[in-house]
Amino acid sequence: NAGVTQTPKFRVLKTGQSMTLLCAQDMNHEYMYWYRQDPGMGLRLIHYSVGEGTTAKGEVPDGYNVSRLKKQNFLLGLESAAPSQTSVYFCASTQGLAGGYNEQFFGPGTRLTVL
Amino acid sequence: TQLLEQSPQFLSIQEGENLTVYCNSSSVFSSLQWYRQEPGEGPVLLVTVVTGGEVKKLKRLTFQFGDARKDSSLHITAAQTGDTGLYLCAGVGTSYDKVIFGPGTSLSVIP
């Protein structure tokens, strides 16, 4: 099993350009998440999905859109990139069981620079 | 809004020393998790604590969940260079769909 994979690993954009980050998981997990990680701020939730065809906003959703058309994939889109979106982006998935044992499995991250 | 605070933000110690990292919140969580992240990689779960007052041990690491389920601590005994990394605490909300991460404690263990 590959676990959680992210594409691409690195990307440089110019202000105003658009791009899509792809996350794929092969663990049949229900829940998937997109985070951004900035120095000193830990992981901040951008958007998440509790199942195929559903999405919800997290802490910092502005400037991003997501789609979950297939259970195994979760796409993060930047329509018009801004320098403030320079960050490392992590995707994660979890089975989503009640009871607190929601281990999140993370991808290796995508390092995005917006010039 | 649920927030988690961690202290200290940075910690540099000699190999063999003991250390404690704290995670605090004003909110109650259904459970609390600790992750470790190494440079260039995603976080990896170390432990989940669920019951108030719970103590879990993983070799040299001891995790405690506060009685009120608002705070937690991670104690490392006889630190090794392999313990170097970013330690993140994460609170699982009562609806179980979201996890809130703290800002992390960056630990450097010097040989």
Side-chain angles (χ1 to χ4, degrees):
Chain A
N1 287 351
V4 179
T5 58
Q6 292 183 232
T7 308
K9 285 198 166 186
F10 302 94
R11 187 73 186 267
V12 178
L13 290 178
K14 293 182 179 179
T15 297
Q17 288 185 318
S18 63
M19 78 163 294
T20 300
L21 281 67
L22 170 64
C23 176
Q25 53 95 4
D26 61 2
M27 296 172 282
N28 201 36
H29 283 169
E30 290 293 332
Y31 294 6
M32 296 186 74
Y33 306 82
W34 275 108
Y35 295 92
R36 60 177 289 172
Q37 186 173 37
D38 302 293
M41 302 190 74
L43 290 159
R44 291 185 291 169
L45 183 64
I46 304 172
H47 286 279
Y48 65 104
S49 168
V50 298
E52 181 179 317
T54 73
T55 63
K57 293 181 180 180
E59 299 173 70
V60 289
D62 294 343
Y64 305 95
N65 56 76
V66 289
S67 64
R68 183 107 180 261
L69 299 179
K70 294 183 178 181
K71 187 177 183 179
Q72 64 267 34
N73 296 336
F74 196 27
L75 278 63
L76 177 70
L78 286 72
E79 290 187 349
S80 179
S84 61
Q85 294 178 303
T86 293
S87 188
V88 181
Y89 291 85
F90 285 100
C91 176
S93 71
T94 183
Q95 184 53 39
L97 298 172
Y101 293 91
N102 285 321
E103 176 178 3
Q104 294 203 4
F105 293 83
F106 284 83
T110 294
R111 186 174 294 275
L112 175 66
T113 301
V114 183
L115 302 176
Chain B
T1 304
Q2 295 177 309
L3 290 173
L4 280 169
E5 298 177 342
Q6 288 187 243
S7 61
Q9 187 177 359
F10 299 98
L11 189 56
S12 181
I13 61 170
Q14 294 290 129
E15 198 169 22
E17 291 183 346
N18 302 332
L19 66 115
T20 302
V21 175
Y22 299 94
C23 175
N24 297 288
S25 175
S26 58
S27 302
V28 175
F29 293 99
S30 62
S31 64
L32 206 136
Q33 300 175 325
W34 285 92
Y35 289 79
R36 183 167 73 197
Q37 183 179 19
E38 300 192 14
E41 299 181 7
V44 176
L45 182 69
L46 294 173
V47 77
T48 300
V49 285
V50 180
T51 307
E54 182 177 3
V55 177
K56 279 192 175 179
K57 291 190 175 183
L58 286 177
K59 297 183 181 178
R60 295 175 294 101
L61 277 61
T62 303
F63 303 86
Q64 185 162 6
F65 200 12
D67 291 340
R69 306 211 319 271
K70 294 182 179 181
D71 54 84
S72 181
S73 64
L74 158 60
H75 181 80
I76 300 179
T77 303
Q80 300 176 357
T81 55
D83 296 326
T84 293
L86 181 68
Y87 289 81
L88 296 158
C89 68
V92 180
T94 51
S95 60
Y96 302 108
D97 59 350
K98 284 190 290 185
V99 174
I100 305 297
F101 282 85
T105 292
S106 180
L107 171 65
S108 178
V109 181
I110 303 166

